[in-house]
Amino acid sequence: MERLQLIAHARSHGDAVALRSGSSEHCYNELLDCSATLAAVLLGATADLSETRVAYLAPAGFDYITVQWAVWRAGGVAVPLSLSATEPELEYLLSDSQSQSVVTTRALVGKVEALVERLGLRLLIVDDVGPAQRQPLPKVDSQRRAMILYTSGTTSKPKGVVATHANIQAQIETLVEAWQWQATDCVALFLPLHHIHGIINVMCCALWSGATIEPYPHFDVSAVLERVAAGAYSVFMAVPTIYVKLIQALESLSEDDRARIVGGFSRMRLMVSGSAALPASVHEKWTSLTGQNLLERYGMTEIGMALSNPYHGERRPGTVGQPLPGVEIRLKSEQGRLVTAQCEPGEIQVRGPGVFLEYWNRPDATAESFEDGWFQTGDVAVYERGYYRIMGRQSVDIIKSGGYKLSALEIEAVLLQHPAICECAVVGVPDDTWGEAVAVAAVLDDGDELSLESLRAWCRDQLSHYKIPKRFLAVDRLPRNAMGKVTKPAVRELF
Ligand code: MLC
Ligand code: AMP
């Protein structure tokens, strides 16, 4: 019997359309066939990959899902890579995860070929995989490791978050139940597929349910709006920045064009926002433009989704609702007390089957992140009249920009390698489109000058584009406290 539930579900969906792109369609059976073939190629002479890490770089679509399923069916651990990562970032991900193989597409192979060769890894191009000798696939127990997603935190380098098959299954099941995913659903997939939002909430939930996905290589406002106007989608999931961009696009259209598109939005059964705070003003603007009441939810790479406004019932702007099925939540005060009073802030702690197994190769960081079996999120919330409201993060070194979580420390470490920069402090500053924008205050070496443009150009080979500072200020000295430590809130005030 098939132990991987996503695969078992796919069998029952058979000929249903899993993916649609223009006039091209792929059914579930094709995904099953191709992933079995690729699994056989990955296995070669071995019977089970036994949690060997397989990294892959592919755009959203048939190849991406084929690779993910092939890795899982062969007993490996899936390590999805970011399409916008720079070579140093990719090198870090491959080395830290100790990946042994990299799978990519012919179109993308140039991005990884030299690196893979230098690291001595196996390279597979999914387009070149021909018919292979089928072989029995291993029975993969749900407690085994399934995926490593990299997430930035309060350490300089991102940490690998390890989820088991059981974790992933729980993360999917709670959303399928709470948001009533159905086989008749069709969803646009334009979020990056190296993060949980795109992978679990959109892709895996849709595939689990037998729904149809329309993949985009990246978020393309006009292409998405065209399909919305055609009434293609019943479900839509995005980060707040995308809603801001959609509002800007709708407002720039003629009344007729806007009415056509708004019709497509208003007919959807569910529109969700998450990954960063949705400003109440954006929520209200969206409702007034489209008639849709966005459902805001809260989650994290380490825990999947934890809190959600209701599918039926009041969706309260500025809040993230209540615990999802199977998720336990508690708030801990700064003094370490359990918060029981309404409106008193506390750190969100989470327990449940969706909570990750460990940080890859970091037993200390894993142990530190749990308290009595509860995962400590570092996010602060209050409970008000039955709904949780997120107040912010405990650490100033974590920035959320366009829905991406960024580490100020990681960006600082790179900027300090710039020949003109003597010291620097990176902070997130409020931004209407991006939520927060990356800003850097730097002390330059004597006599050096630096413009934002030249700094950004220098960063391009080092940092993914969304980590590159948007604002730059040269200062004589950084604000420090009596102990000599840089005070980030004071740095923020400089912008
Ligand atoms: C891009 N740009 C930015 C930026 N990102 N500027 C400032 N801050 C940022 N964060 C700039 C680029 O440099 C470029 O500038 C221009 O904007 C267009 O870049 P782009 O990448 O083409 O933009 P776009 O495609 O519009 O990207 C916006 C976006 C993307 C919102 C679609 O950021 C995105 O996909 N975000 C989602 C991330 C996500 O999935 N997070 C979930 C993590 S999981 P120029 O000058 O070159 O034109 C998680 C858990 C949970 O958080 O709860 O879900
Ligand atoms: P990541 O580590 O990329 O998975 O991002 C998870 C973080 O995103 C959480 O710890 C929160 O800080 C933030 N986040 C997710 N959803 C929301 C939300 N609805 N409101 C505010 N912050 C959110």
Side-chain angles (χ1 to χ4, degrees):
M1 208 186 62
E2 178 61 60
R3 296 202 188 159
L4 294 175
Q5 288 307 301
L6 190 60
I7 301 300
H9 277 250
R11 290 219 172 89
S12 69
H13 305 316
D15 288 332
V17 177
L19 284 155
R20 182 185 301 124
S21 198
S23 58
S24 140
E25 290 183 346
H26 293 287
C27 68
Y28 282 83
N29 280 336
E30 286 174 79
L31 285 169
L32 287 167
D33 278 352
C34 289
S35 59
T37 304
L38 184 59
V41 173
L42 285 168
L43 283 166
T46 49
D48 188 329
L49 288 185
S50 307
E51 301 190 3
T52 298
R53 273 76 57 212
V54 180
Y56 48 95
L57 189 73
F62 188 78
D63 289 339
Y64 183 103
I65 300 169
T66 300
V67 181
Q68 186 199 58
W69 288 13
V71 176
W72 285 347
R73 298 178 81 184
V77 173
V79 184
L81 300 172
S82 158
L83 292 171
S84 41
T86 59
E87 186 161 321
E89 289 172 330
L90 287 173
E91 178 163 0
Y92 171 75
L93 299 177
L94 293 176
S95 310
D96 188 80
S97 61
Q98 299 158 301
S99 289
Q100 295 191 2
S101 317
V102 177
V103 188
T104 189
T105 61
R106 168 135 321 138
L108 288 172
V109 69
K111 209 171 150 57
V112 284
E113 205 166 24
L115 177 62
V116 168
E117 196 182 320
R118 182 152 58 78
L119 298 177
L121 310 180
R122 177 184 182 199
L123 181 65
L124 268 176
I125 298 175
V126 68
D127 324 42
D128 293 349
V129 171
Q133 189 76 43
R134 284 294 178 85
Q135 63 186 76
L137 298 174
K139 297 226 175 307
V140 180
D141 188 82
S142 68
Q143 298 307 320
R144 277 173 53 169
R145 293 175 182 80
M147 183 158 69
I148 303 184
L149 295 182
Y150 276 82
T151 186
S152 295
T154 46
T155 48
S156 168
K157 291 286 191 189
K159 296 193 287 282
V161 175
V162 180
T164 62
H165 290 284
N167 295 149
I168 291 174
Q169 187 177 322
Q171 292 174 1
I172 299 170
E173 280 180 312
T174 190
L175 295 185
V176 168
E177 178 186 339
W179 298 344
Q180 300 189 10
W181 274 94
Q182 297 147 20
T184 46
D185 279 325
C186 182
V187 66
L189 174 54
F190 41 68
L191 291 171
L193 289 183
H194 61 291
H195 283 308
I196 198 163
H197 194 164
I199 299 173
I200 301 291
N201 298 22
V202 184
M203 196 180 84
C204 289
C205 283
L207 295 172
W208 181 278
S209 311
T212 302
I213 295 170
E214 286 200 3
Y216 291 79
H218 57 91
F219 177 64
D220 175 343
V221 184
S222 22
V224 171
L225 289 182
E226 235 0 272
R227 293 296 295 150
V228 169
Y233 307 124
S234 59
V235 175
F236 198 89
M237 295 192 188
V239 299
T241 298
I242 288 181
Y243 287 108
V244 172
K245 286 179 177 250
L246 290 171
I247 290 170
Q248 289 163 353
L250 286 176
E251 286 185 331
S252 70
L253 294 173
S254 70
E255 237 169 80
D256 281 357
D257 284 345
R258 191 185 322 152
R260 220 165 43 88
I261 295 167
V262 159
F265 278 123
S266 60
R267 283 192 296 276
M268 290 183 198
R269 72 165 186 87
L270 174 66
M271 296 194 75
V272 180
S273 174
S275 298
L278 177 70
S281 57
V282 176
H283 192 145
E284 280 149 17
K285 182 89 207 172
W286 190 257
T287 306
S288 74
L289 266 175
T290 66
Q292 274 281 353
N293 189 4
L294 293 176
L295 181 155
E296 184 173 6
R297 57 55 179 184
Y298 159 88
M300 194 174 183
T301 307
E302 286 88 335
I303 58 174
M305 297 305 111
L307 293 160
S308 171
N309 271 281
Y311 184 68
H312 295 295
E314 183 197 1
R315 297 183 191 163
R316 203 180 291 166
T319 77
V320 289
Q322 291 129 8
L324 280 157
V327 179
E328 288 179 86
I329 295 284
R330 69 181 193 185
L331 298 183
K332 259 299 178 73
S333 75
E334 255 183 305
Q335 295 73 34
R337 245 185 330 100
L338 271 185
V339 171
T340 47
Q342 297 254 343
C343 306
E344 185 187 338
E347 183 195 39
I348 303 177
Q349 301 192 344
V350 183
R351 204 163 64 169
V355 175
F356 76 129
L357 178 69
E358 62 187 358
Y359 291 115
W360 180 246
N361 274 341
R362 285 176 170 82
D364 293 349
T366 306
E368 273 167 30
S369 68
F370 285 89
E371 184 188 11
D372 312 327
W374 293 78
F375 176 70
Q376 308 174 100
T377 62
D379 290 308
V380 177
V382 290
Y383 186 66
E384 291 171 340
R385 294 180 293 119
Y387 284 61
Y388 285 88
R389 185 156 64 82
I390 310 284
M391 313 283 287
R393 291 201 58 92
Q394 286 174 330
S395 169
V396 282
D397 286 322
I398 290 178
I399 300 168
K400 263 275 167 170
S401 187
Y404 285 108
K405 183 154 126 190
L406 313 177
S407 159
L409 305 178
E410 181 189 0
I411 301 171
E412 284 164 8
V414 170
L415 296 180
L416 284 172
Q417 293 166 27
H418 188 285
I421 293 179
C422 183
E423 316 182 77
C424 68
V426 167
V427 290
V429 295
D431 185 282
D432 288 345
T433 300
W434 303 103
E436 285 185 296
V438 176
V440 55
V443 179
L444 302 181
D445 280 323
D446 275 350
D448 274 338
E449 285 185 8
L450 189 60
S451 67
L452 174 63
E453 287 64 36
S454 72
L455 178 64
R456 285 175 60 80
W458 180 85
C459 286
R460 236 156 245 145
D461 292 337
Q462 322 269 329
L463 292 167
S464 296
H465 66 286
Y466 47 83
K467 298 180 189 168
I468 297 177
K470 258 294 198 235
R471 315 263 312 262
F472 165 71
L473 204 61
V475 292
D476 290 337
R477 76 182 81 84
L478 294 171
R480 291 179 189 277
N481 63 17
M483 316 289 285
K485 197 171 173 303
V486 172
T487 45
K488 293 261 173 121
V491 174
R492 262 204 209 126
E493 298 296 314
L494 298 172
F495 290 91

